[in-house]
C-alpha cells in the first residue's frame, strides 16, 4: 500500500535524505520519497512485512518526528509554518540589532571608525563586550547548535551541523584566547572570532528566512486551493437550517448555497437554479448554468441564484481534496533527473566536514600556517557548503510547475510524468469523447424544394421525440436549440433496422435510412448524391417523408470538438507524431482524420487491443503518450509512457492516467508539454548552479588560490555566499510562476492520414478459438455498433468487431461460447440477429 506521512524537524536537503534512507532500509518498504518543502513522505510498502508504527519509529530513530498525514491537520500545519516564519523574522531582526554594535567593536577600527579610548587601554573589557553582544545572538539562533550537534551525535550531519561546528570552532578559539588574555599570558588584543560567529549565524538566518519565504510562495497554489474550501456551510436537518463546520457535513445532507457562496462539497442539485463559476477547478472562465439533476463540485462559486444540493462526496473524497492530494503527491514524488542530487545530498555533510579538517591539517603541517589561518580555512569550508541548493534544485521547480499547471486545469500526478511529457514522440488519441464530443449532433440539413429547415426539423423532431435512439435525441436537441415548437404525434412505431413511422396532424410520417424509405415507395433520387457524400464524411443521413413525399435529409454525427484540429496542428508543429486510435469502422475514422489532420489512423481496434497497439508503437522505439476518456482506454493509459485522461471521462480512466485534463480540451496537451520543457530547463539551471557553486566555492574556501594569488575566503563572506545559493535556486524556480500556456495559431489545412496500418491486426490471440459472423438487424449508426460491440465484448472469452455497412459482427471466441449466448447478448442490447455462421 501507499501512505503519506507528515515529517517534522527537517531543516535541509541532507535531513530529507537521512529520513528517506532510514525508512528505505526497512524490510518491505519499496520507496519512501521525502519532500522537504511540504514536510511529507510518501511510503509504498508491503503491509504484511512492515507496519505504520515501524515507519514512524524509523523516522524517530533518525532524529525526526512523523505521523500519518490522515491524522494531521494540514490547515493547522500551515498555520504553524507561518508562525515559525514570523518567529524566525523576529529572531533575525534582534540578531541584527546585536550584530551591528558587535561588528563595530570588532571591525570598526579597520574602517577608520573611532572607538572609546578606554577600550584601547583595556583589551579584556573590549573582549567581554564582544562576548556579551554575541551571547544574545547565540541564544536567538540556538536551534543551529541543538539540531546540528544532535544530528552529529546520530552520525547523520546536516547543514545545521556544518554551521554549528563552524560557529562553535570560532567561539571556542575566541574563548581560549580570552582566557589567556585574562591570565596575562597574551599582551595586546588577541584574534577573536566572536564577530565571525555572530555574522555567520545571522547571515545563515537571513538565507533561511528568505528561502522559507520563497518556499512558501512555491506552495502558493496548494494554499490557494485550501483557501477555496469554505470553513462552514448551511445544511437542512430535520426541517431546520443549521450552520455547521464543513468537515461535519455527511453524505446525504441537504446543503444550501446562496448567491456568492462557495459550494462546500460535491453533490447533485435537488432544487434551485444558479450560474456557477467553476474556474477554480476547470479553468473555464464563463459561469455554467446549473439546474436540478446537475452535478456540482466543491470550491466552485454560485455567481447568481440559489441552490439546494444533496451531498455525495464529502471530506477527503471531494474533487477539491483529490486535486490537493494529487498536487501534493506530485510534489512529493521524485523526477529521474533528481537522483544524482539525492545521492550527493545524503553524503554531502560528512564529506564537507572531512574536506574542512583535511584542508586545515594540510595548511598547518604542509603549509606551515598559524592556527588562525587554519581555523579560518576550516570554518570557511564548513559554512560555504550548501547541500540545500542541491536538494532544492528539483522539488521547488516541480512544486511551482505542478501548481501552475493546476491553475490552468492540468493535474499532473507525478514528477516523473512531468519530466517525460516533453520527451514524448508519438501522441495516440482515442476518438470518441476525446477528439469528438462523444454524443451525436445534427451537422447538416438538406431540404426538398419548397420545404424550409424549420419545417423539416419540426416534423423530424416531433416524430422522433418518442424514440429512445441517440440519433433521435440529437434531432430533438437541435430543434430545442433553435426554439422550434413540436407537434403531437400518434401511432408511433419503431421498425428495427429501418426507422420509425408516426402520424402527425393526420399525415403519415416516415423517418429512417435510405433502404427503409425506398421500401415504402419514397423516391430519394434528388438526394442520393448528397447522402452518399455525407456518408463518406462519416455522418449518418436520415431521410424524412410525409404522405409519401420526401421532405429532406438530416445528417447526424459525433462531431469533432472545436479545438481538436488546432491542438493536433500544434502537436505536429512541436514535432510530435499524432495517431488516431478507434474501434470505429475505417470510413468513419478516415472522415474524422481528414478534419483534424493526424499522421496515422488505426481503426477497428477492439477495446482490449488498445494497450497492445500502444505497446507495438513503443516496440518501434517511440515514447508514447495516450489520451483517452473511457473504461476501455484505461489499460492503454497505463501502458503508455504518459497517460492523459480527459477530465469529463470515467473515474477508472482518470485513475489510470498520469495527467488529467480538467477542461477536457486537447489544447492542454501541447500546453502541458510546453510546461514540461520549461520545468526541465529550470531544473537543469538549478542543478548547474548548485554543482557549479559547490565545485567552485569549496576549493576557494579551502585556500587553493592562496599560493598563487594570496586570496582566502573570509568565513563571513562564505556564510553570505552559502545563504545566497539557496535563495538563488528557489528564486529561479519562482520564475515558473510566470508561465502561461502558449498561444497556438490556427491550424493549417489538414493533411491526409497515412494509409498504412489502417486496421489494427490483433496479435497473440489464443490458438483454441473459433471465428463467427453474426448478421444483425436494427443497427443504424456508429452508436448502435458501439452498443453491440460492448454487449459482445462483455462476454467472457469473446472479442468482437461490428461493421455498420455489412450489418454484421466478426467474433472470435472460445469454443465454449454458444450461438445462443451470442444471440442473447445482441438481443438484450435491443437488436435482432438474423443469422450466425
Amino acid at each position: 500500500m501507499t501512505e503519506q506521512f507528515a515529517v517534522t524537524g527537517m531543516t535541509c536537503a541532507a535531513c530529507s535524505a537521512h529520513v528517506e534512507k532510514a525508512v528505505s532500509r526497512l524490510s518491505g518498504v519499496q520507496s519512501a520519497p521525502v519532500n522537504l518543502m511540504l514536510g511529507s513522505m510518501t511510503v509504498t510498502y508491503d503491509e504484511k512485512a512492515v507496519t505504520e508504527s515501524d515507519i514512524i519509529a524509523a523516522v524517530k530513530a533518525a532524529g525526526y518526528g512523523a505521523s500519518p498525514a490522515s491524522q494531521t491537520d494540514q490547515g493547522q500545519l500551515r498555520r504553524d509554518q507561518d508562525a515559525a516564519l514570523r518567529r524566525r523574522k523576529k529572531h533575525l531582526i534582534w540578531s541584527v540589532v546585536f550584530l551591528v554594535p558587535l561588528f563595530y567593536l570588532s571591525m570598526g577600527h579597520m574602517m577608520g571608525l573611532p572607538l572609546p579610548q578606554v577600550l584601547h587601554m583595556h583589551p579584556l573589557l573590549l573582549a567581554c563586550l564582544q562576548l556579551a553582544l554575541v551571547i544574545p545572538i547565540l541564544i536567538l539562533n540556538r536551534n543551529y547548535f541543538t539540531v546540528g550537534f544532535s544530528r552529529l551525535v546520530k552520525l547523520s550531519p546536516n547543514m545545521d551541523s556544518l554551521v554549528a561546528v563552524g560557529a562553535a570552532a570560532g567561539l571556542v578559539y575566541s574563548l581560549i584566547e580570552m582566557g589567556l588574555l585574562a591570565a596575562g599570558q597574551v599582551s595586546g588584543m588577541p584574534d577573536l572570532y566572536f564577530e565571525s560567529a555572530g555574522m555567520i549565524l545571522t547571515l545563515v538566518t537571513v538565507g533561511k528566512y528568505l528561502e522559507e519565504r520563497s518556499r512558501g510562495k512555491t506552495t502558493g497554489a496548494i494554499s490557494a486551493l485550501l483557501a477555496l474550501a469554505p470553513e462552514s456551510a448551511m445544511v437542512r436537518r430535520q426541517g431546520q437550517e443549521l450552520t455547521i463546520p464543513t468537515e461535519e457535513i455527511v453524505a446525504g445532507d441537504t446543503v444550501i448555497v446562496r448567491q456568492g457562496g462557495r459550494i462546500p462539497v460535491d453533490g447533485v442539485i435537488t432544487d434551485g437554479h444558479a450560474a456557477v463559476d467553476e474556474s477554480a477547478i476547470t479553468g473555464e472562465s464563463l459561469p455554467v448554468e446549473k439546474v436540478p439533476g446537475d452535478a456540482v463540485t466543491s470550491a466552485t462559486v454560485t455567481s447568481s441564484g440559489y441552490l439546494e444540493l444533496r451531498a455525495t462526496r464529502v471530506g477527503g473524497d471531494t474533487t477539491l481534496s483529490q486535486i490537493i492530494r494529487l498536487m501534493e503527491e506530485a510534489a512529493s514524488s521524485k523526477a529521474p533527473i533528481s537522483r544524482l542530487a539525492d545521492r550527493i545530498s545524503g553524503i554531502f555533510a560528512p564529506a564537507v566536514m572531512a574536506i574542512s579538517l583535511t584542508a586545515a591539517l594540510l595548511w598547518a603541517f604542509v603549509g606551515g600556517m598559524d592556527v588562525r589561518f587554519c581555523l579560518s580555512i576550516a570554518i570557511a569550508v564548513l559554512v560555504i557548503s550548501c547541500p540545500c541548493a542541491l536538494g532544492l534544485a528539483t522539488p521547488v521547480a516541480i512544486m511551482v510547475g505542478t501548481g501552475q499547471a493546476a491553475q490552468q486545469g492540468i493535474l499532473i500526478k507525478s514528477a516523473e510524468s512531468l519530466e517525460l511529457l516533453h520527451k514524448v514522440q508519438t501522441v495516440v488519441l482515442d476518438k470518441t469523447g476525446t477528439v469528438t464530443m462523444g454524443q451525436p449532433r445534427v451537422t447538416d440539413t438538406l431540404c426538398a424544394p419548397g420545404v424550409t429547415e424549420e419545417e423539416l426539423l419540426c416534423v423530424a423532431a416531433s416524430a422522433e421525440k418518442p424514440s429512445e435512439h441517440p440519433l433521435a435525441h440529437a434531432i430533438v436537441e437541435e430543434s430545442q436549440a433553435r426554439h422550434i415548437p413540436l407537434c403531437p404525434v400518434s401511432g408511433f412505431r419503431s421498425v428495427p433496422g429501418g426507422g420509425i413511422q408516426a402520424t402527425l396532424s393526420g399525415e403519415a410520417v416516415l423517418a429512417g435510412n435510405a433502404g427503409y424509405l425506398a421500401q415504402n415507395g419514397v423516391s430519394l433520387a434528388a438526394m442520393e448524391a448528397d447522402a452518399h457524400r455525407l456518408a463518406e464524411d462519416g455522418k449518418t443521413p436520415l431521410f424524412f417523408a410525409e404522405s409519401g413525399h420526401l421532405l429532406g435529409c438530416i445528417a447526424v454525427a459525433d462531431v469533432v470538438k472545436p479545438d481538436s484540429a488546432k491542438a493536433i496542428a500544434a502537436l505536429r508543429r512541436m514535432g510530435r507524431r499524432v495517431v488516431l486510435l478507434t474501434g470505429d469502422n475505417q470510413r468513419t475514422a478516415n472522415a474524422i482524420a481528414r478534419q483534424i489532420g493526424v499522421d496515422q489512423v488505426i481503426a477497428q481496434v477492439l477495446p482490449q487491443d488498445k494497450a497492445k497497439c500502444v505497446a507495438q508503437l513503443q516496440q518501434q522505439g517511440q515514447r508514447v503518450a495516450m489520451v483517452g476518456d473511457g473504461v476501455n482506454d484505461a489499460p492503454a493509459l497505463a501502458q503508455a509512457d504518459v497517460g492523459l485522461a480527459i477530465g469529463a471521462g470515467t473515474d477508472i480512466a482518470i485513475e489510470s492516467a498520469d495527467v488529467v485534463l480538467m477542461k477536457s480540451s486537447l489544447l492542454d496537451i501541447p500546453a502541458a508539454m510546453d510546461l514540461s520543457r520549461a520545468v526541465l530547463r529550470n531544473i537543469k539551471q538549478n542543478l548547474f548552479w548548485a554543482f557549479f557553486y559547490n565545485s567552485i566555492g569549496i576549493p576557494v574556501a579551502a585556500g587553493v588560490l592562496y599560493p598563487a594569488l594570496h586570496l582566502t575566503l573570509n568565513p563571513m563572506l562564505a556564510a553570505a555566499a552559502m545563504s545566497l545559493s539557496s535563495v538563488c535556486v528557489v528564486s529561479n524556480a519562482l520564475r515558473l510562476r510566470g508561465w502561461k500556456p502558449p498561444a497556438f495559431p490556427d491550424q493549417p489545412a489538414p493533411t491526409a492520414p497515412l494509409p498504412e496500418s489502417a486496421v489494427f491486426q490483433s496479435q497473440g490471440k489464443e490458438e483454441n478459438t473459433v471465428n463467427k459472423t453474426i448478421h444483425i438487424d436494427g443497427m443504424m449508426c456508429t452508436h448502435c455498433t458501439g452498443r453491440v460491440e460492448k454487449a459482445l465484448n462483455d462476454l467472457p472469452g469473446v472479442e468482437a468487431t461490428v461493421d455498420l455497412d455489412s450489418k454484421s459482427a466478426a467474433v472470435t471466441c472460445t469454443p465454449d461460447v454458444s450461438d445462443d449466448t451470442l444471440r442473447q447478448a445482441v438481443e438484450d442490447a435491443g437488436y435482432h440477429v438474423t443469422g450466425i455462421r
Side-chain angles (χ1 to χ4, degrees):
M1 66 180 296
T2 299
E3 189 170 355
Q4 198 166 39
F5 295 82
V7 181
T8 57
M10 297 188 297
T11 60
C12 72
C15 296
S16 59
H18 291 316
V19 172
E20 187 169 333
K21 188 181 295 183
V23 176
S24 297
R25 286 197 192 106
L26 294 175
S27 176
V29 172
Q30 182 180 337
S31 64
V34 178
N35 187 282
L36 175 63
M37 290 179 299
L38 295 177
S40 66
M41 173 177 64
T42 305
V43 186
T44 301
Y45 63 97
D46 180 0
E47 55 187 327
K48 296 178 181 177
V50 65
T51 65
E52 186 181 274
S53 57
D54 293 335
I55 294 170
I56 293 173
V59 175
K60 289 182 176 178
Y64 306 86
S67 62
S70 58
Q71 299 175 17
T72 305
D73 185 344
Q74 293 297 323
Q76 183 60 45
L77 189 62
R78 294 180 193 283
R79 287 191 289 273
D80 291 344
Q81 290 171 348
D82 291 340
L85 185 61
R86 290 192 297 271
R87 191 161 54 250
R88 190 179 289 277
K89 181 180 180 180
K90 187 192 298 182
H91 289 177
L92 173 60
I93 291 171
W94 281 106
S95 295
V96 172
V97 167
F98 287 101
L99 179 65
V100 170
L102 173 62
F103 200 76
Y104 182 87
L105 290 175
S106 59
M107 309 289 287
H109 65 283
M110 298 182 184
M111 305 178 203
L113 298 175
L115 281 177
Q117 188 65 30
V118 65
L119 297 180
H120 286 292
M121 298 175 61
H122 299 88
L124 184 60
L125 177 60
L126 179 58
C128 290
L129 282 174
Q130 290 185 30
L131 177 61
L133 287 169
V134 82
I135 286 175
I137 299 176
L138 296 176
I139 295 172
L140 288 167
N141 299 283
R142 61 188 178 277
N143 193 55
Y144 294 113
F145 298 98
T146 56
V147 174
F149 285 119
S150 67
R151 298 288 177 267
L152 201 57
V153 170
K154 292 178 180 293
L155 300 180
S156 57
N158 61 0
M159 194 197 79
D160 288 350
S161 303
L162 301 179
V163 173
V165 171
L171 287 169
V172 170
Y173 175 80
S174 300
L175 289 171
I176 292 173
E177 288 288 297
M178 190 175 167
L180 294 174
L181 177 64
Q185 297 185 21
V186 175
S187 60
M189 188 66 188
D191 294 327
L192 302 178
Y193 270 99
F194 290 131
E195 83 286 351
S196 292
M199 181 67 82
I200 288 169
L201 294 173
T202 303
L203 286 175
V204 172
T205 302
V206 170
K208 281 275 190 182
Y209 172 72
L210 293 176
E211 178 188 323
E212 288 178 15
R213 190 177 170 192
S214 298
R215 274 162 47 184
K217 293 179 182 178
T218 67
T219 59
I222 292 178
S223 299
L225 285 174
L226 284 170
L228 291 176
E231 294 183 359
S232 62
M234 183 173 289
V235 300
R236 181 179 293 123
R237 290 178 178 172
Q238 299 177 347
Q240 293 185 336
E241 293 185 3
L242 307 171
T243 300
I244 64 173
T246 300
E247 57 267 20
E248 293 182 11
I249 299 175
V250 297
D253 271 345
T254 297
V255 182
I256 299 170
V257 185
R258 293 184 167 83
Q259 181 174 339
R262 291 191 181 275
I263 296 174
V265 293
D266 293 1
V268 177
I269 298 173
T270 56
D271 190 21
H273 174 277
V276 178
D277 180 1
E278 299 181 331
S279 58
I281 300 298
T282 66
E284 178 58 52
S285 57
L286 296 177
V288 180
E289 294 293 326
K290 298 288 186 178
V291 295
D294 288 345
V296 289
T297 306
S298 55
T300 55
V301 181
T302 53
S303 52
S304 65
Y306 168 88
L307 292 177
E308 291 186 12
L309 57 108
R310 184 182 73 257
T312 55
R313 292 182 178 180
V314 299
D317 294 330
T318 64
T319 300
L320 177 65
S321 298
Q322 290 173 0
I323 290 173
I324 293 171
R325 188 177 69 251
L326 285 176
M327 289 180 62
E328 290 182 337
E329 286 175 359
S332 299
S333 61
K334 293 291 182 70
I337 195 172
S338 68
R339 288 169 187 156
L340 176 62
D342 287 343
R343 286 197 295 269
I344 292 175
S345 295
I347 60 170
F348 192 88
V352 167
M353 297 181 78
I355 293 171
S356 172
L357 180 61
T358 302
L361 293 175
L362 285 174
W363 279 113
F365 293 105
V366 178
M369 306 303 289
D370 59 19
V371 174
R372 180 181 176 85
F373 182 91
C374 296
L375 188 62
S376 175
I377 290 290
I379 295 173
V381 171
L382 287 171
V383 297
I384 199 172
S385 309
C386 186
C388 284
L390 280 173
L392 291 171
T394 300
V396 290
I398 287 171
M399 173 63 79
V400 179
T402 53
Q404 285 301 109
Q407 290 178 1
Q408 300 298 330
I410 304 169
L411 293 184
I412 299 172
K413 294 186 180 181
S414 69
E416 185 173 5
S417 58
L418 178 61
E419 179 176 338
L420 283 175
L421 259 173
H422 84 291
K423 299 178 182 178
V424 164
Q425 299 157 304
T426 298
V427 179
V428 178
L429 302 173
D430 171 55
K431 182 180 77 68
T432 305
T434 301
V435 172
T436 64
M437 300 296 291
Q439 55 186 5
R441 302 279 179 88
V442 171
T443 60
D444 302 86
T445 53
L446 306 176
C447 301
V451 180
T452 66
E453 285 191 3
E454 287 75 15
E455 291 172 341
L456 175 59
L457 280 168
C458 177
V459 172
S462 298
E464 294 281 13
K465 188 168 178 60
S467 174
E468 295 296 324
H469 198 282
L471 300 186
H473 287 306
I475 294 171
V476 173
E477 286 179 0
E478 180 69 13
S479 69
Q480 291 173 343
R482 297 195 189 193
H483 305 289
I484 297 173
L486 304 186
C487 302
V489 297
S490 60
F492 175 85
R493 187 167 70 90
S494 175
V495 180
I500 63 164
Q501 56 182 253
T503 301
L504 189 153
S505 301
E507 301 288 342
V509 175
L510 294 175
N513 58 36
Y516 176 64
L517 266 70
Q519 288 172 12
N520 286 273
V522 180
S523 175
L524 307 177
M527 292 188 178
E528 278 183 345
D530 288 327
H532 180 72
R533 173 181 56 80
L534 292 171
E536 284 297 318
D537 288 340
K539 302 171 183 177
T540 301
L542 299 175
F543 297 91
F544 295 86
E546 188 176 48
S547 300
H549 297 289
L550 182 65
L551 294 178
C553 173
I554 297 177
V556 180
D558 183 8
V559 297
V560 172
K561 291 179 181 178
D563 55 7
S564 290
K566 189 175 183 179
I568 290 165
L571 287 170
R572 295 182 67 198
R573 275 194 295 271
M574 294 170 75
R576 270 63 176 189
R577 184 164 168 263
V578 184
V579 177
L580 183 66
L581 182 68
T582 178
D584 250 339
N585 62 66
Q586 190 65 48
R587 186 174 68 179
T588 301
N590 282 341
I592 296 295
R594 283 194 295 271
Q595 296 179 54
I596 59 177
V598 297
D599 294 291
Q600 183 183 0
V601 177
I602 304 178
Q604 295 173 225
V605 183
L606 297 173
Q608 57 268 37
D609 283 336
K610 286 188 175 182
K612 296 178 186 175
C613 185
V614 171
Q616 285 186 9
L617 291 170
Q618 290 171 322
Q619 288 165 10
Q620 296 169 13
Q622 299 288 307
R623 190 172 277 115
V624 180
M626 172 71 194
V627 189
D629 72 321
V631 173
N632 61 349
D633 297 321
L637 291 170
Q639 172 67 42
D641 296 282
V642 182
L644 298 97
I646 297 296
T650 60
D651 288 346
I652 189 170
I654 292 172
E655 194 68 29
S656 302
D658 304 299
V659 179
V660 181
L661 309 178
M662 295 294 290
K663 291 186 287 188
S664 300
S665 170
L666 295 188
L667 279 173
D668 285 339
I669 303 172
M673 290 180 173
D674 183 80
L675 174 64
S676 171
R677 185 174 63 249
V679 170
L680 261 292
R681 184 172 61 244
N682 193 279
I683 289 173
K684 289 175 181 177
Q685 291 168 352
N686 287 344
L687 287 174
F688 171 79
W689 165 252
F691 280 115
F692 175 79
Y693 164 82
N694 282 296
S695 61
I696 297 296
I698 293 176
V700 169
V704 295
L705 298 180
Y706 187 79
L709 303 176
H710 288 278
L711 286 178
T712 58
L713 194 62
N714 187 287
M716 290 182 285
L717 293 177
M722 186 273 284
S723 300
L724 183 64
S725 65
S726 294
V727 175
C728 286
V729 165
V730 177
S731 300
N732 186 50
L734 285 174
R735 292 191 306 111
L736 287 170
R737 296 177 74 185
W739 176 88
K740 298 293 181 187
F744 300 110
D746 289 336
Q747 73 275 14
T751 55
L754 299 178
E756 61 266 27
S757 302
V759 179
F760 176 68
Q761 301 298 325
S762 181
Q763 299 177 355
K765 294 179 181 175
E766 296 180 20
E767 293 183 3
N768 188 23
T769 58
V770 293
N771 296 319
K772 298 181 181 183
T773 302
I774 307 174
H775 296 281
I776 304 167
D777 217 356
M779 297 189 300
M780 298 176 61
C781 65
T782 55
H783 294 275
C784 298
T785 60
R787 287 184 181 180
V788 175
E789 270 189 12
K790 184 178 187 307
L792 291 170
N793 286 316
D794 283 346
L795 295 173
V798 174
E799 293 182 4
T801 303
V802 181
D803 181 57
L804 181 62
D805 295 334
S806 63
K807 298 286 195 298
S808 66
V811 175
T812 301
C813 61
T814 53
D816 60 331
V817 179
S818 66
D819 289 355
D820 289 341
T821 302
L822 297 173
R823 185 189 306 275
Q824 190 63 47
V826 174
E827 292 184 349
D828 285 347
Y831 302 90
H832 179 59
V833 175
T834 58
I836 300 178
R837 60 179 178 83

